[in-house]
Amino acid sequence: MANNKLKHLAIIMDGNGRWAENRGLKRVEGHKKGAEVVRDITTYASNHHSIETLTLYAFSSENWKRPRLEIEFLMKLLDNWLKNELETYHKHSIRFQAIGDISKFSKKLQKRIYDTQEATKNNKGLIQVLALNYGARYEIVDTINRLIKDNIEISEDNISTHLQTPYSDIDLLIRTSGEERISNFLLWQLSYSEIFFTQTLWPDFNPQELEYIIENFKNRKRRFGAIF
Ligand code: IPE
Ligand code: IPE
Ligand code: MG
């Protein structure tokens, strides 16, 4: 029986808007509840014996297409959330890291992101990576351009190690809310990931369901092209 080791878990946290709409609430209420779930799942992952990195898709480079008020709410939520989360990061020795083009965010939010990275950089437990204004195609093109500029050979290894996310390939990708697509997330790093889609909307997701999915992952046959 397989017993796969889960080192890098990635999650597309989807369904906040529908969760709120189902309850007759404004979409932003779903984002608020979703942020609480991020804390629960991060804490669970930080206590898990094998997870080293948890990468969460929080805002895509395509999410700018949303109404201005929703975007502003998300930015404010993120700023407050990072401010309040510092305690949790230290309590569980979590290192926070952002990926994506954060230069498009307000100066205040950029500072909050850099300060949180700086404040947690010596924490030795889980690495929590938040994908913010992230797009995988952009990340790949940007990486190749940097390699060319530095006169480094374009190879699979060099691309892998020069990505904004040099944190090892993803073992398991989960997407909540029943949508079954990648939405421009980590295209390079997902080449051999196991993928699990759940109908659960992100605000209803919880550590029990994550545990169930991890058990399912452990028993999958990961062949990487070979036969065994
Ligand atoms: C995911 O939930 C959160 C973000 C993309 C910021 P959505 O806001 O996409 O929720 P649905 O998919 O509309 O239900
Ligand atoms: C993907 O969700 C991005 C995040 C979860 C941050 P979306 O809700 O934006 O994806 P699509 O538009 O349904 O593909
Ligand atoms: Mg969505």
Side-chain angles (χ1 to χ4, degrees):
M1 197 151 89
N3 190 14
N4 302 309
K5 192 167 176 194
L6 177 58
K7 281 167 64 176
H8 192 168
L9 170 65
I11 308 181
I12 302 177
M13 310 182 289
D14 199 12
N16 292 352
R18 277 164 285 169
W19 181 90
E21 280 157 10
N22 290 345
R23 285 167 174 71
L25 301 168
K26 295 215 170 74
R27 289 178 54 85
V28 295
E29 294 300 324
H31 296 316
K32 263 199 229 166
K33 178 72 172 51
E36 288 170 27
V37 176
V38 173
R39 179 179 308 121
D40 295 344
I41 294 301
T42 302
T43 306
Y44 174 87
S46 78
N47 291 323
H48 189 275
H49 65 99
S50 69
I51 302 175
E52 294 170 1
T53 312
L54 172 67
T55 301
L56 302 170
Y57 208 2
F59 193 86
S60 78
S61 48
E62 286 73 39
N63 285 146
W64 297 107
K65 293 175 190 163
R66 296 189 177 201
R68 188 177 55 86
L69 283 178
E70 180 169 342
I71 295 173
E72 280 174 9
F73 181 91
L74 282 168
M75 298 301 152
K76 202 174 275 169
L77 181 70
L78 177 63
D79 191 35
N80 273 325
W81 190 81
L82 286 174
K83 185 168 71 186
N84 295 328
E85 241 15 49
L86 205 51
E87 204 183 310
T88 314
Y89 288 140
H90 287 318
K91 186 168 161 210
H92 300 280
S93 200
I94 296 165
R95 179 148 77 92
F96 164 77
Q97 188 70 47
I99 54 166
D101 181 10
I102 64 165
S103 70
K104 298 287 181 293
F105 294 165
S106 71
K107 288 277 175 290
K108 180 170 177 265
L109 181 54
Q110 287 183 50
K111 184 170 177 339
R112 174 82 63 202
I113 292 167
Y114 287 129
D115 287 352
T116 311
Q117 288 183 162
E118 190 59 27
T120 61
K121 71 175 184 203
N122 294 323
N123 288 350
K124 298 283 183 265
L126 180 79
I127 304 171
Q128 184 209 53
V129 182
L130 276 197
L132 301 168
N133 189 23
Y134 175 86
R137 287 185 169 182
Y138 173 82
E139 184 188 29
I140 294 168
V141 171
D142 175 63
T143 304
I144 293 172
N145 278 330
R146 278 187 286 116
L147 291 175
I148 293 171
K149 194 162 147 268
D150 296 339
N151 218 357
I152 299 171
E153 187 199 353
I154 309 294
S155 67
E156 291 192 17
D157 277 352
N158 285 339
I159 292 177
S160 294
T161 51
H162 287 78
L163 287 165
Q164 250 202 326
T165 39
Y167 301 112
S168 81
D169 283 347
I170 288 153
D171 299 300
L172 172 63
L173 171 74
I174 300 169
R175 182 171 187 146
T176 58
S177 90
E179 308 298 346
E180 301 191 348
R181 56 178 169 266
I182 302 297
S183 303
N184 202 14
F185 192 39
L186 303 168
L187 297 176
W188 183 274
Q189 301 87 336
L190 286 169
S191 357
Y192 260 108
S193 308
E194 296 299 321
I195 303 185
F196 195 104
F197 296 108
T198 169
Q199 295 294 323
T200 306
L201 302 172
W202 178 251
D204 287 328
F205 195 69
N206 58 35
Q208 290 72 32
E209 183 169 2
L210 176 56
E211 206 164 273
Y212 167 83
I213 296 171
I214 293 173
E215 281 308 308
N216 173 289
F217 160 82
K218 277 190 193 158
N219 294 319
R220 290 188 184 188
K221 282 205 175 74
R222 301 189 78 187
R223 297 191 190 86
F224 298 99
I227 34 169
F228 52 79

